[in-house]
Amino acid sequence: MNTKLTYGAKLRPHFYIESLGCSKNTVDSTGIAVLLQRHGYLPTTEPEQAEVLIVNTCGFIAAARAESLEILSELSAARRPEQKIIAAGCWAQREPDYLLELLPGLDAAIGTRSWPALPALLDLLRTRQERLIYTEDGPMVLPEAVGVPGYAFNSEVSAFLKIADGCSRRCAFCAIPLIKGPQVSRSIEAIVADAQQLQEQGVLEINLVAQDTTYYGHDLGMQDGLAVLLERLVTALPELPWIRLLYAYPGYLTPRLLAVLAAHPQLLSYIDIPLQHAHPAVLRRMRRPDDMAEVRRTLAELRRLLPEVCLRTTFVVGFPGETDEEFETLLQFVDEIQFDRVGVFTYSAEAGTPAADYPDDIPKQVKDERLEALMLKQQAISLAKNQALIGKELSVLLEGAGDGFTVGRSYRDAPEIDGLVLLPGELPLKRIVQVRITEALVYDLEGVLGGDN
Ligand code: SF4
């Protein structure tokens, strides 16, 4: 019996998958892995052991494409003749011909809207010699349509759960709607079922992701869809300690949504609202909500209802036509609001977007100087906020240990983008403990176990 099993396993091809870019892509990569295993492929973490090498690319901005290219080039350079290399994901959706032209070692490109067709594509590659492109223009395929999970683990106790994909906004600088098409929301039942599976697997933190979480349910005809979804999640999973909301587009943080966030301690006091700029004229050029009075009202209301809220945002500097005065307005706004976390990007023109038609007239050096000025301002704010936590206790999810330290995150730290909490000693993991903060850095905190553990 053993011999037969070994023999069978040897006949089955192995696949290796490298996932780049955002958490939505990671969820798709998990779906691809489940699908391939269902079709008889075996996973491996070693590229040299795989017959099929897949890079789930990111094509959002130039830096992301450069990373995807580097990985694909490395795999192509080391490939054996019998191996197949496939570019999947957003860049493959956007520029499949260019990718095949760029990389002679690439066998196929399959778009992010078409990943369920990957097993069929691999069948074709086995029997045909030519290189293949497969992209579709329909909406993003939801995981339940393929019977795969809509989540991906970030650690053994933390996961990203996709609630929707695609984007129905038309921000002038952004290629996502071109790549992924309009937003499609998953049903509440499918999301709750995935969340229950995660809880059964020991997950303590679920991070809800979409391109735009506050738009959840609009395409399903729901009013206040995100608020309804959150209520269903906390009702169905009363034991799940942490639910975190990411990518909340401004303008749709409705009174009901804020009330739901305030009513349930399971819903973490953490909001990521990508504002992109603070000067109304720049926001208009970006085709984003430009009512800064409304933004200020929403942020004040959030802080009133959730006094401990951790506010994260993202800004783009060097957008076409951004004057010194407009940038100064942004700096003053950051000073005024005192965000807990700020991410900053320099503008780069993306082909096919409305902003690509504007002259990209801010010199690179000025863009870089503005990025540095904004980051420096925020670093001082972040440090002061972290220093104010010294002596206080925070709930911390313990996820990793090594070199005499234990690494965790508090409710203030979203996975992969925010800081860490470091504790001396290698403590038992996969639990949430009270930590007394003893040291503060710009991004990270240090602490010791608090009194209640
Ligand atoms: S809301 Fe976000 S993903 Fe959608 S177009 Fe705007 S920047 Fe892009």
Side-chain angles (χ1 to χ4, degrees):
M1 188 174 155
N2 269 348
T3 314
K4 192 177 166 196
L5 275 179
T6 310
Y7 177 70
K10 271 187 182 161
L11 286 181
R12 292 170 67 182
H14 286 77
F15 70 93
Y16 167 84
I17 184 160
E18 179 115 13
S19 195
L20 303 171
C22 66
S23 51
K24 279 83 70 182
N25 223 25
T26 318
V27 172
D28 290 348
S29 296
T30 304
I32 290 171
V34 172
L35 193 63
L36 289 181
Q37 288 173 81
R38 201 183 289 155
H39 281 78
Y41 293 83
L42 294 171
T44 174
T45 52
E46 304 297 331
E48 55 278 7
Q49 285 176 9
E51 285 77 29
V52 174
L53 303 155
I54 301 157
V55 179
N56 204 9
T57 61
C58 178
F60 178 45
I61 52 173
R65 290 193 291 276
E67 189 190 9
S68 298
L69 181 60
E70 192 183 328
I71 306 283
L72 281 164
S73 303
E74 277 170 17
L75 293 176
S76 299
R79 76 171 277 174
R80 299 191 309 275
E82 70 276 17
Q83 287 181 314
K84 300 289 182 198
I85 304 184
I86 323 288
C90 289
W91 194 14
Q93 176 80 31
R94 207 172 167 196
E95 297 184 297
D97 299 286
Y98 177 61
L99 267 169
L100 287 185
E101 190 189 312
L102 211 58
L103 294 155
L106 193 63
D107 292 283
I110 180 166
T112 190
R113 305 194 207 181
S114 316
W115 61 264
L118 195 49
L121 183 97
L122 292 175
D123 285 348
L124 280 177
L125 282 178
R126 255 207 303 268
T127 54
R128 289 167 39 177
Q129 290 308 309
E130 75 256 48
R131 305 161 85 203
L132 298 172
I133 287 179
Y134 189 58
T135 58
E136 285 172 25
D137 289 335
M140 288 294 288
V141 180
L142 295 179
E144 49 274 28
V146 194
V148 298
Y151 54 75
F153 286 89
N154 155 66
S155 74
E156 284 181 78
V157 284
S158 170
F160 295 108
L161 173 53
K162 194 194 271 193
I163 63 171
D165 211 339
C167 186
S168 298
R169 316 274 181 203
R170 289 293 177 268
C171 303
F173 54 82
C174 181
I176 292 289
L178 307 173
I179 296 170
K180 294 196 160 195
Q183 174 160 311
V184 277
S185 300
R186 304 182 67 199
S187 71
I188 289 185
E189 290 69 29
I191 296 167
V192 170
D194 271 354
Q196 282 168 332
Q197 275 187 28
L198 286 170
Q199 191 180 28
E200 282 159 19
Q201 293 173 78
V203 161
L204 300 173
E205 175 192 45
I206 290 181
N207 300 279
L208 303 178
V209 296
Q211 295 303 144
D212 169 5
T213 49
T214 46
Y215 200 67
Y216 171 78
H218 279 71
D219 52 308
L220 302 176
M222 296 169 76
Q223 290 291 322
D224 257 322
L226 184 58
V228 176
L229 170 66
L230 292 175
E231 281 184 319
R232 286 282 294 277
L233 277 170
V234 294
T235 306
L237 298 139
E239 307 292 319
L240 183 76
W242 284 7
I243 300 175
R244 186 189 300 273
L245 187 62
L246 297 173
Y247 316 121
Y249 184 92
Y252 280 90
L253 285 150
T254 62
R256 179 167 175 194
L257 176 58
L258 296 187
V260 170
L261 287 171
H264 302 283
Q266 283 168 278
L267 302 174
L268 294 180
S269 281
Y270 178 102
I271 298 279
D272 170 23
I273 311 178
L275 291 172
Q276 312 302 6
H277 212 278
H279 194 290
V282 181
L283 287 165
R284 274 194 291 281
R285 294 202 295 280
M286 288 179 164
R287 304 189 185 180
R288 305 261 313 173
D290 65 347
D291 184 349
M292 290 308 295
E294 177 61 26
V295 168
R296 285 182 169 88
R297 266 196 300 277
T298 303
L299 297 177
E301 186 63 359
L302 262 171
R303 283 190 162 143
R304 188 182 72 79
L305 289 169
L306 302 164
E308 304 294 322
V309 71
C310 179
L311 281 179
R312 179 182 181 87
T313 192
T314 312
F315 294 116
V316 174
V317 295
F319 190 74
E322 185 191 54
T323 62
D324 287 343
E325 182 228 321
E326 287 167 343
F327 177 65
E328 188 56 37
T329 301
L330 176 57
L331 280 180
Q332 284 170 10
F333 179 72
V334 167
D335 232 355
E336 171 197 333
I337 300 296
Q338 301 275 303
F339 292 97
D340 297 84
R341 324 265 186 227
V342 172
V344 189
F345 298 91
T346 52
Y347 170 78
S348 65
E350 287 300 317
T353 61
D357 293 338
Y358 310 155
D360 187 3
D361 54 358
I362 309 296
K364 181 178 180 309
Q365 191 190 335
V366 175
K367 286 179 184 170
D368 291 343
E369 284 167 7
R370 288 179 180 172
L371 180 136
E372 198 182 339
L374 189 47
M375 289 303 287
L376 278 176
K377 180 167 282 297
Q378 181 57 37
Q379 279 169 7
I381 296 170
S382 295
L383 181 60
K385 285 189 170 262
N386 276 352
Q387 283 169 338
L389 294 170
I390 291 175
K392 296 194 172 153
E393 289 205 355
L394 294 176
S395 298
V396 173
L397 176 62
L398 301 183
E399 288 185 301
D403 296 332
F405 280 95
T406 301
V407 181
R409 287 182 293 108
S410 79
Y411 80 94
R412 298 171 53 79
D413 307 305
E416 296 182 0
I417 47 174
D418 293 326
L420 300 169
V421 182
L422 303 170
L423 294 90
E426 299 192 13
L427 303 169
L429 303 178
K430 301 188 226 172
R431 58 193 180 123
I432 294 172
V433 296
Q434 287 300 112
V435 172
R436 185 166 52 78
I437 303 305
T438 53
E439 290 288 336
L441 308 168
V442 171
Y443 300 110
D444 300 330
L445 296 167
E446 293 176 19
V448 295
L449 285 183
D452 285 348
N453 294 294

